[in-house]
Amino acid sequence: MHLAHSSTPGPAQDRTSTEATPTTAETGIPASSAAVSRRSLRAERTTQAAAPQRTSTAARAAAPAKPTASSSGGSASTGSTAVVKKTPAKKRKGGWAINVAVMTVATGIIATMSLPAFAFNPDNAENSAFGPSAADSMKKAQSQSVEVGTTVASAAVARDAASATTEEQLASQKAAAAASAAAEAARQRAAVSLTNYANSYSGPSVSDFLANPPYPNFSLDSVFSVAQQYIGTPYVFGGASPAGFDCSGYVQFVYAQFGVSLPHSVSGQAAAGKRISIADARPGDIVIMSGHDGFYAGNGNIMDAPEVGRSISVRPIWTSDFYIVRLGI
């Protein structure tokens, strides 16, 4: 009997295949235990290549030898070829999950790079979301324009100028306010005087004289003579009777007695007569000034109703701004 002493299997032993292994009929050992499969050999080679340092001579020597058949005697003995059965290395946990994740990312990248080619088709651009909208088409088809005429006037812009009131202006404003207050007070007094005048006079009025004039024969001397009868009559604003006269009311009342109708105003009486030179003026003519009139009294004098608080009198003409008007010619 020959015993096979094996330590580390040699190359010849690694190449042992089913052809060199005795069959079941020759050895009497089941084929499942006697034959070394190709899967076992591949697993052993993988293990040796991955971790050669884990295999030692002692481990390979301790492995049981496979029985082989003798070529001459045909008796069974311990196999000359010993195969060491190694436990396969454990696979890394989670490897399949990493592979799936890598494949998923790669598929997503490829799909993203291919997306623009499928998303846009120039042939269908008019019908896609990239085409013009209905509002844009309407704007292009129905464009509008506005024309501005050359006659449009631009708005004038001006800056207000600020100015301070001087002391002289303030004094003038105060004087004007005082004069206005005085005039208002005078009008109130005249209203009271006119009321008293209306109640105190009961003689004929201007309208009565015009209806039946007491002096039908008109002459300037007669006019001046009648006017002198009212010297001393007080001034009353709006008065036209011996109870009180104002300047134009005095002239109106005297001329009415000669049947001459005049309005109760300075401007109206100036328009009713004919203007003559100052050298030709005679007593009884009318002296016209700005806002005032009276009878010419000769020698540069005037007989008039002057102002509130004063009475009819003869006095010199105080201004050169006047002219003479004659009635009845």
Side-chain angles (χ1 to χ4, degrees), residues 167-181:
E167 294 182 359
E168 293 77 6
Q169 291 175 339
L170 290 175
S172 176
Q173 292 176 1
K174 291 180 179 179
S180 177

Side-chain angles (χ1 to χ4, degrees), residues 208-221:
D208 294 335
F209 287 143
L210 291 175
N212 188 18
Y215 307 101
N217 297 322
F218 174 81
S219 68
L220 289 177
D221 294 337

Side-chain angles (χ1 to χ4, degrees), residues 220-221 224 255 274-288 294-302 317 322-327 329:
L220 289 177
D221 294 337
F224 185 74
Y255 269 94
K274 183 177 180 180
R275 183 169 179 171
I276 62 174
S277 65
I278 297 176
D280 295 335
R282 292 173 54 188
D285 290 330
I286 302 176
V287 180
I288 302 296
F295 294 98
Y296 183 70
N299 299 323
N301 294 319
I302 185 174
I317 298 175
F322 71 95
Y323 60 92
I324 305 298
V325 171
R326 178 171 293 172
L327 298 177
I329 56 173

Side-chain angles (χ1 to χ4, degrees), residues 3-191:
L3 295 177
H5 299 278
S6 65
S7 55
T8 301
Q13 292 176 337
D14 291 341
R15 289 190 301 268
T16 303
S17 62
T18 56
E19 295 178 356
T21 303
T23 64
T24 304
E26 293 174 345
T27 61
I29 299 173
S32 59
S33 60
V36 179
S37 63
R38 294 180 181 179
R39 180 179 299 176
S40 300
L41 292 176
R42 286 196 298 270
E44 183 179 359
R45 291 191 187 100
T46 303
T47 303
Q48 291 177 357
Q53 68 275 9
R54 295 180 183 179
T55 305
S56 63
T57 305
R60 284 192 297 272
K66 297 295 180 177
T68 56
S70 177
S71 57
S72 59
S75 61
S77 63
T78 302
S80 60
T81 303
V83 178
V84 178
K85 186 177 181 181
K86 301 296 181 178
T87 303
K90 294 182 180 180
K91 295 182 180 180
R92 184 180 298 176
K93 294 182 180 181
W96 63 273
I98 297 175
N99 294 338
V100 171
V102 172
M103 293 179 66
T104 302
V105 173
T107 302
I109 294 174
I110 295 173
T112 303
M113 295 175 63
S114 302
L115 181 61
F118 295 98
F120 179 73
N121 185 0
D123 296 336
N124 297 329
E126 295 296 333
N127 298 327
S128 63
F130 298 95
S133 63
D136 294 337
S137 301
M138 183 177 296
K139 292 178 181 178
K140 293 179 179 180
Q142 300 178 0
S143 59
Q144 298 179 355
S145 61
V146 178
E147 296 182 0
V148 180
T150 57
T151 59
V152 176
S154 59
V157 179
R159 177 177 295 179
D160 295 338
S163 60
T165 305
T166 62
E167 294 182 359
E168 293 77 6
Q169 291 175 339
L170 290 175
S172 176
Q173 292 176 1
K174 291 180 179 179
S180 177
E184 179 63 24
R187 284 191 292 268
Q188 293 177 358
R189 290 193 299 270

Side-chain angles (χ1 to χ4, degrees), residues 235 237 246-248 265-267 269-270 287-294 304-306 318 321-323:
Y235 178 93
F237 180 79
D246 63 9
C247 62
S248 60
S265 69
V266 174
S267 60
Q269 293 174 1
V287 180
I288 302 296
M289 300 177 182
S290 177
H292 185 69
D293 66 352
D304 63 343
W318 62 91
D321 187 16
F322 71 95
Y323 60 92

